[in-house]
Amino acid sequence: MIHVAAVDQAFLLLLIVFCLGSCFVRVFWELEQVRARRTATSPRRRTRKRD
């Protein structure tokens, strides 16, 4: 079994956490952009005024 120093393990853990975090941020950013585009282009049927 390969023994890795604690500093190297901590660095690798931080690297993995950073990569996963940036992936999650990008996914949520894309979902928010799609939602914003959909609400901007859709007709406002729900906000119709009734006289």
Side-chain angles (χ1 to χ4, degrees):
M1 187 171 182
I2 299 173
H3 293 285
V4 183
V7 175
D8 292 338
Q9 287 180 353
F11 174 73
L12 289 173
L13 182 63
L14 287 175
L15 188 65
I16 291 169
V17 167
F18 176 75
C19 290
L20 286 175
S22 63
C23 288
F24 281 125
V25 167
R26 183 172 176 156
V27 165
F28 286 122
W29 177 264
E30 291 292 328
L31 287 173
E32 189 63 24
Q33 293 295 318
V34 168
R35 188 192 63 80
R37 269 186 250 125
R38 191 177 343 146
T39 57
T41 59
S42 66
R44 296 183 180 189
R45 293 180 214 150
R46 296 179 211 133
T47 59
R48 224 188 270 172
K49 292 181 181 177
R50 293 185 180 184
D51 293 4

